[in-house]
């Protein structure tokens, strides 16, 4: 005589029960979405500004260097 019972469940019932429960989604929220957008926009604008200023610096530095070389050549020719 067997006194213990074992628990059994058929796999189709388990799969149906698991498919019936939708996954829990945490809402993104307006505050977190706004904060993410603000940080992304600030980063992109800062990067664009950095490269614009870097290019402007490079151009002005090249013009100044060219002016110095032209002045040096002019002084050598005139003296």
């Amino acid at each position: 005589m067997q006194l213990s019972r074992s628990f059994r469940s058929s796999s189709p019932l388990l799969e149906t029960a698991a498919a019936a429960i939708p996954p829990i989604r945490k809402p993104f929220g307006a505050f977190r979405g706004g904060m993410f957008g603000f940080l992304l926009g600030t980063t992109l604008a800062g990067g664009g500004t950095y490269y614009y200023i870097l290019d402007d610096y490079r151009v002005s530095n090249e013009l100044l260097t060219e002016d110095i070389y032209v002045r040096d050549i002019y002084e050598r020719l005139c003296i």
Side-chain angles (χ1 to χ4, degrees), residues 3-69:
L3 295 175
S4 65
R5 274 180 75 175
S6 63
F7 178 75
R8 284 191 218 169
S9 176
S10 62
S11 63
L13 286 176
L14 287 176
E15 290 173 4
T16 309
I21 301 172
I24 298 173
R25 290 182 44 174
K26 190 174 183 180
F28 195 58
F31 178 73
R32 286 190 296 157
M35 190 63 107
F36 177 73
F38 172 75
L39 290 175
L40 181 65
T42 303
T43 302
L44 290 175
T49 304
Y50 173 76
Y51 283 110
Y52 176 79
I53 290 174
L54 189 66
D55 186 52
D56 196 23
Y57 172 76
R58 183 186 55 81
V59 168
S60 66
N61 196 19
E62 286 176 0
L63 287 174
L64 182 63
T65 305
E66 186 179 322
D67 256 3
I68 292 171
Y69 287 143

